[in-house]
Amino acid sequence: MKSFITNIKTLFTTTDLETILLWSIMGFIIISALLFVTIMVYRTIKIADGKKLTLLKNTYSNLFIATAFSSPDELESNISKTIKLNKKFIKKKHYSNVIVDELINLYTSLTGESKHNLKRLYFDSGFYEYSEKKMKSKKWDVQAQGIRE
């Protein structure tokens, strides 16, 4: 055991060029491996989040379209479904921004009773309160987005 420790000590204290190069290469390989693992984990998380966001957009889009072209009885049912979904997803700012943008895009493309149904959904399901919070922000761009909504 003592010889192993003395070998390690002499390895660190010698100025042999081969030893310095060996340690440099080993350090480079270790740092490269850590960087590779970090990038792979980050990409995996980002891809999973993108898939979840796409699924969420599709779910809300279908619900918004069903709400726009629904009768008064179906409208109440769709509003309650939206409220249930909002309890799960509206807490994350990224998701809520995408959801509200999806609703606004659909709202601007419709007219008549469909547009009125979406407006009612916006106010009754809590999106209005979310936009009010944006208007109280100290950041001017967030305030402008809240006013637009």
Side-chain angles (χ1 to χ4, degrees):
M1 184 70 178
K2 285 185 178 183
S3 64
F4 177 72
I5 294 174
T6 55
N7 285 340
I8 296 292
K9 285 181 182 178
T10 57
L11 192 63
F12 282 113
T13 57
T14 59
T15 57
D16 187 25
L17 185 59
E18 290 177 7
T19 307
I20 293 172
L21 286 175
L22 179 68
W23 281 104
S24 299
I25 291 170
M26 286 177 30
F28 177 75
I29 291 172
I30 290 171
I31 290 172
S32 298
L34 288 173
L35 186 62
F36 178 75
V37 169
T38 304
I39 290 171
M40 293 307 291
V41 168
Y42 175 74
R43 282 181 44 97
T44 303
I45 291 171
K46 192 171 181 179
I47 289 170
D49 190 48
K51 287 180 182 179
K52 187 174 181 180
L53 189 62
T54 303
L55 178 68
L56 187 66
K57 278 176 77 171
N58 291 339
T59 303
Y60 270 98
S61 292
N62 292 338
L63 188 59
F64 292 157
I65 290 170
T67 302
F69 300 108
S70 63
S71 66
D73 294 333
E74 294 171 336
L75 181 64
E76 293 300 323
S77 171
N78 288 336
I79 289 173
S80 66
K81 288 178 187 176
T82 305
I83 291 171
K84 287 179 186 175
L85 277 176
N86 285 351
K87 288 180 182 176
K88 290 182 186 176
F89 298 111
I90 205 81
K91 300 209 187 314
K92 288 193 174 185
K93 286 185 181 182
H94 180 63
Y95 293 154
S96 55
N97 286 339
V98 171
I99 293 166
V100 172
D101 285 344
E102 195 73 28
L103 179 61
I104 289 172
N105 288 337
L106 186 61
Y107 179 80
T108 56
S109 65
L110 296 176
T111 59
E113 188 66 30
S114 301
K115 195 169 192 171
H116 176 72
N117 286 348
L118 288 178
K119 186 175 184 179
R120 184 157 172 228
L121 173 75
Y122 177 77
F123 283 104
D124 291 348
S125 63
F127 293 119
Y128 179 73
E129 289 83 11
Y130 173 72
S131 297
E132 276 186 335
K133 286 180 186 177
K134 283 185 176 181
M135 288 190 290
K136 294 177 184 177
S137 173
K138 293 182 180 181
K139 298 178 182 177
W140 69 270
D141 57 325
V142 176
Q143 287 178 347
Q145 189 178 18
I147 291 169
R148 183 182 142 258
E149 292 171 0

